[in-house]
């Protein structure tokens, strides 16, 4: 897991790719109107990735990330562990907004059902907060972070580490959760710009 020493670091610029994320972190005239703490979730019945980022104007700061690994052969018990784990993260970090990947069609019906249940349980663990929930398609997340909706997991993992300047090992589930959180940070940034533009008209 990346060191918590990275909490105050800014998102890294990349002059060759990810123009949208470069714009997200540059230019004094481009500012987020509000601060927000984002919780990104990548639910799974075996491992649920989580990530917490702080947005403050044109800065994004890494707070923490990791994976909730469930144990046992009982599916309901694994779901309980997902709920308990997400609830503990929410209690500790008090996010303002939740970002999660939108449900997609899976080739295996049983896997899709289990994923859907894990997703529902993870979201339920955040409902005692007043924060809003935002959903993004997998292609949207990859496009925002890597620059192409067809990116492989390894590419997402690499770019997340570069953008947040993280050192050390980063698990695939944590990387996916960070990518979802970054995608939402980018989306709310653009919404802020559009609102500011409309107000000036």
């Amino acid at each position: 897991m990346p060191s918590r020493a990275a909490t105050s670091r800014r998102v890294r610029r990349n002059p060759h790719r990810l123009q949208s994320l470069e714009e997200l972190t540059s230019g004094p005239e481009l500012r987020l109107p509000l601060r927000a703490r984002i919780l990104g979730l990548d639910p799974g019945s075996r491992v649920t990735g989580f990530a917490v980022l702080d947005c403050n104007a044109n800065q994004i700061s890494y707070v923490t990330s990791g994976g909730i690994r469930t144990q046992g052969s009982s599916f309901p018990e694994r779901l309980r562990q997902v709920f308990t784990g997400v609830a503990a993260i929410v209690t500790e970090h008090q996010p303002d907004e939740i970002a999660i990947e939108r449900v997609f069609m899976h080739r295996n019906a049983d896997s899709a059902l289990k994923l859907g249940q894990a997703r529902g349980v993870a979201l339920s663990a955040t409902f005692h907060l007043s924060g809003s929930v935002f959903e993004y398609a997998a292609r949207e997340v990859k496009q925002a972070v890597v620059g192409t909706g067809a990116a492989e997991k390894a590419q997402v993992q690499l770019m997340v580490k570069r953008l947040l300047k993280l050192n050390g090992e980063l698990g695939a589930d944590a990387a996916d959760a960070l990518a979802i959180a970054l995608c939402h940070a980018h989306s709310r940034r653009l919404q802020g710009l559009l609102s500011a533009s409309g107000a000036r008209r």
Side-chain angles (χ1 to χ4, degrees), residues 39 41 50-52 64 68 84-95:
L39 170 62
L41 290 173
F50 67 88
V52 180
T64 189
I68 302 167
T84 302
V86 173
I89 293 164
V90 168
T91 298
E92 179 180 359
H93 297 287
Q94 296 292 306

Side-chain angles (χ1 to χ4, degrees), residues 1 16 32 39-40 110 112 118 140 150 175:
M1 182 180 296
H16 303 294
L32 265 176
L39 170 62
D110 184 61
E140 288 181 281

Side-chain angles (χ1 to χ4, degrees), residues 28-46:
E29 74 286 0
L30 301 180
R31 299 280 181 176
L32 265 176
L34 299 173
R35 297 181 181 183
R37 171 162 285 188
I38 300 170
L39 170 62
L41 290 173
D42 180 40
S45 62
R46 292 292 182 183

Side-chain angles (χ1 to χ4, degrees), residues 84-146:
T84 302
V86 173
I89 293 164
V90 168
T91 298
E92 179 180 359
H93 297 287
Q94 296 292 306
D96 302 299
E97 298 168 1
I98 315 299
I100 194 167
E101 190 172 287
R102 186 174 299 144
V103 174
F104 62 93
M105 296 301 295
H106 201 285
R107 293 180 181 179
N108 185 298
D110 184 61
S111 296
L113 180 61
K114 288 181 177 179
L115 177 61
Q117 291 183 73
R119 185 178 182 277
V121 163
L123 281 177
S124 296
T126 72
F127 286 167
H128 63 284
L129 293 176
S130 59
S132 301
V133 176
F134 300 85
E135 298 177 296
Y136 298 93
R139 290 187 65 85
E140 288 181 281
V141 174
K142 293 176 181 179
Q143 179 69 38
V145 176
V146 184

Side-chain angles (χ1 to χ4, degrees), residues 19-78:
Q19 181 65 28
S20 58
L21 285 180
E22 181 179 4
E23 292 173 352
L24 178 63
T25 59
S26 64
E29 74 286 0
L30 301 180
R31 299 280 181 176
L32 265 176
L34 299 173
R35 297 181 181 183
R37 171 162 285 188
I38 300 170
L39 170 62
L41 290 173
D42 180 40
S45 62
R46 292 292 182 183
V47 184
T48 290
F50 67 88
V52 180
L53 298 178
D54 279 341
C55 292
N56 182 8
N58 64 339
Q59 285 189 310
I60 298 176
S61 300
Y62 172 88
V63 178
T64 189
S65 64
I68 302 167
R69 298 185 178 277
T70 62
Q71 299 179 348
S73 58
S74 169
F75 185 64
E77 171 58 22
R78 296 205 306 272

